[in-house]
Amino acid sequence: MDDHLLKLDATDQLALLNKKKVSATELLKASLARHEKTHAKLNAVVAVDLDRALFHAKALDELRARGETLGLLAGLPMTVKDTFDVVGLPASSGLKHLRQRQAEDATAVALAKHAGVVIWGKTNTPVLAGDWQTFNGLYGTTNNPWDVTRTCGGSSGGAATALAAGITALEIGSDIGGSLRVPASFCGVYSHKPTWGLVGQRGQVPPSPGSWSERDLNVAGPMARSARDLRLLLSVIEGGPLAAKAPGADLKTARIALWLDEPSFPLDPQVRTAIETFAAELAAAGAEVTPIASPAHMPTLMAAYQTLLGAVIGEDMPDSTIRAMERMRGLARWQMARGAAPTSAAAMTLAYTATHREWLAADAVRARLRHEIGEVFGRFDAILAPIAPVTAFAHDHRPFQRRRLTQSDGAVMPYASMLNWISLATALHLPATAIPVGPAANGLPVGAQLIGPLNGDAKTLALAQAIEDDIRGFVAPEMGR
């Protein structure tokens, strides 16, 4: 019975709760048992508040038995990425000195609790959410449930693993450099990067604990095993007008731009093939699928994105490190003028130490490109694009500058290529829904993103739901079956 329950998505679990066919306590204990069974192999959930969660679940069971009006998510057990503050649980962001601090609920967490969720654990993340792999010195490494020798992605990697393995049905993650979308792609689950500003950021670490900053580029968003669950959770944590339930889009009237070609962005042939195969299925279902060239001049966008992103990340670096980089700016500019790569140390030095004038110039470029891409969204409902240039790769804990990504054909690309395909939606503040599109030739999941116009979250979610209903949805790895 427990295994059957945990295979259900959140919507179906809630239906059983509301019909009193299962109690919140029973569902919580099933999730905990699943966590205990898989923890040694996966290391997805790294902190648990069992007593508080059981007390909360029992209280909700009593209220439901009395016929009280309950919240939209009442009794549903879930975990939260360990960058979000949750009362009674650490929000360490992978750092030991943050582990014991007391915290109030993050904005998104408070809204989820108000809707009745039972938060029982925190999922692993890289240090300060700063990697496309999930490991840290405090909690160790989280493994991919499809192949434990490979990364689950980052930075919401523990969340994606917990979802794919049936440990939780919903998660709250974050994304500034693909941190919602990459783990979803690597683990075969769903996520939604909202339009920037749609979900409040307060209570995330980084930035520093207690900060009121609503950081540029960064978003909080839902992760799930179904598209309809993404909408459900987003409707709760955005605290706005999005409906919790809505019909899927009509694929027969959908206009999809297929973006797979950008000269400056490498893409593993097996990832391309998986998305092309899915695009053909989409067309067979009645959608109009049109290959397009890059919807913006990507070298220009990447240069602006690097400055915007570096300015955010630089705030978290030690003052001594920033001062040392500032002394290197002259040399870095000289190196860039002589052809240093956009992913070079020189480029990153300039990005991390960007002046306000440089930030304003990058912001102006972003505004222009966001205006220009409006023409694309005048012709198409969404852009279908890759998320990561490769499938989940083997754990690699070497320093960033020594890491490389190897394609299935043997070609090698820089590690920072992980920023490429996610950059369009992030830099321009656009919504992007990550969906599983099928296995690669190596048997690992491949995800793609449906990128929509500004504030077009409902549109990409409706398309994702229609695709799930008519074409394909979540497929569990062996240990999640």
Side-chain angles (χ1 to χ4, degrees):
M1 178 63 174
D2 286 356
D3 284 346
H4 170 70
L5 283 173
L6 298 179
K7 290 176 183 178
L8 302 176
D9 69 357
T11 299
D12 282 343
Q13 288 184 13
L14 285 164
L16 292 178
L17 284 165
N18 290 326
K19 293 175 182 176
K20 302 178 184 176
K21 292 186 176 181
V22 67
S23 70
T25 303
E26 290 169 335
L27 198 51
L28 172 61
K29 289 181 177 179
S31 296
L32 290 166
R34 186 72 178 151
H35 158 59
E36 292 171 0
K37 182 179 179 181
T38 60
H39 182 65
K41 287 185 177 180
L42 299 179
N43 191 37
V45 181
V46 292
V48 174
D49 186 1
L50 178 57
D51 291 341
R52 192 185 304 261
L54 283 170
F55 179 84
H56 189 192
K58 289 175 182 177
L60 287 166
D61 286 336
E62 291 173 4
L63 290 171
R64 182 170 271 122
R66 295 204 303 262
E68 301 284 350
T69 300
L70 301 177
L72 192 62
L73 305 177
L76 186 77
M78 67 174 283
T79 54
V80 174
K81 181 181 180 180
D82 190 31
T83 54
F84 289 88
D85 287 343
V86 177
V87 170
L89 281 163
S92 70
S93 206
L95 292 171
K96 185 176 181 179
H97 72 273
L98 295 178
R99 188 178 187 178
Q100 300 302 326
R101 68 186 181 85
Q102 300 297 309
E104 299 178 357
D105 288 331
T107 297
V109 170
L111 288 167
K113 282 187 174 181
H114 184 71
V117 296
V118 178
I119 295 175
W120 61 270
K122 302 293 287 293
T123 49
N124 206 17
T125 183
V127 173
L128 293 177
D131 200 349
W132 297 290
Q133 302 178 68
T134 294
F135 68 94
N136 58 67
L138 181 59
Y139 293 124
T141 301
T142 300
N143 298 319
N144 192 310
W146 288 85
D147 179 350
V148 296
T149 69
R150 296 174 184 262
T151 182
C152 55
S155 60
S156 307
T161 292
L163 285 162
I167 298 167
T168 189
L170 287 181
E171 255 281 355
I172 300 174
S174 59
D175 191 314
I176 195 172
S179 288
L180 281 163
R181 289 163 285 168
V182 169
S185 179
F186 282 3
C187 294
V189 299
Y190 290 81
S191 71
H192 180 73
K193 186 205 88 65
T195 295
W196 185 82
L198 187 65
V199 179
Q201 296 184 37
R202 186 166 187 266
Q204 290 189 62
V205 179
S208 299
S211 173
W212 285 81
S213 174
E214 295 285 327
R215 285 188 155 184
D216 186 23
L217 305 174
N218 187 55
V219 298
M223 302 181 74
R225 288 195 298 271
S226 70
R228 62 182 182 174
D229 282 359
L230 291 180
R231 171 185 280 274
L232 177 65
L233 183 54
L234 183 60
S235 74
V236 169
I237 63 174
E238 59 102 19
L242 185 76
K245 295 181 180 181
D250 182 355
L251 290 182
K252 291 182 172 57
T253 63
R255 300 166 302 160
I256 307 296
L258 176 63
W259 175 36
L260 292 173
D261 293 296
E262 164 51 46
S264 60
F265 289 2
L267 185 63
D268 190 310
Q270 66 177 348
V271 174
R272 171 187 285 272
T273 297
I275 298 176
E276 286 176 335
T277 300
F278 168 75
E281 293 173 332
L282 195 54
E288 179 185 310
V289 180
T290 306
I292 64 167
S294 293
H297 187 258
M298 295 311 294
T300 300
L301 182 141
M302 286 299 292
Y305 176 41
Q306 191 165 46
T307 297
L308 297 169
L309 180 61
V312 174
I313 296 174
E315 184 186 356
D316 301 323
M317 292 182 169
D319 290 343
S320 58
T321 302
I322 293 297
R323 285 195 297 269
M325 285 185 174
E326 287 172 342
R327 292 193 292 271
M328 299 295 292
R329 281 177 61 85
L331 176 60
R333 281 195 292 267
W334 181 84
Q335 291 173 325
M336 292 302 293
R338 280 153 182 78
T343 56
S344 65
M348 297 314 300
T349 294
L350 293 174
Y352 291 142
T353 61
T355 66
H356 188 52
R357 286 176 68 103
E358 289 167 345
W359 186 93
L360 288 172
D363 187 46
V365 170
R366 166 172 52 196
R368 173 174 62 81
L369 293 175
R370 192 162 56 205
H371 170 75
E372 291 176 358
I373 204 173
E375 184 274 333
V376 176
F377 289 118
R379 295 186 291 124
F380 299 102
D381 298 313
I383 299 168
L384 177 66
I387 294 170
V390 292
T391 57
F393 48 87
H395 298 293
D396 184 355
H397 298 175
R398 295 175 297 174
F400 266 56
Q401 62 270 23
R402 294 181 58 195
R403 301 179 194 174
R404 298 291 185 272
L405 301 174
T406 302
Q407 297 182 176
S408 57
D409 61 0
V412 177
M413 67 181 84
Y415 189 63
S417 300
M418 293 294 296
L419 274 178
N420 289 344
W421 294 99
I422 61 87
S423 63
L424 182 73
T426 300
L428 303 187
H429 290 169
L430 306 177
T433 304
I435 60 173
V437 299
N442 62 7
L444 295 172
V446 174
Q449 55 186 329
L450 292 163
I451 303 170
L454 198 67
N455 298 313
D457 300 75
K459 179 175 288 188
T460 62
L461 289 167
L463 284 168
Q465 187 171 321
I467 289 166
E468 180 181 24
D469 291 342
D470 297 345
I471 301 176
R472 68 173 68 246
F474 169 72
V475 175
E478 189 66 33
M479 66 173 55
R481 294 175 189 170

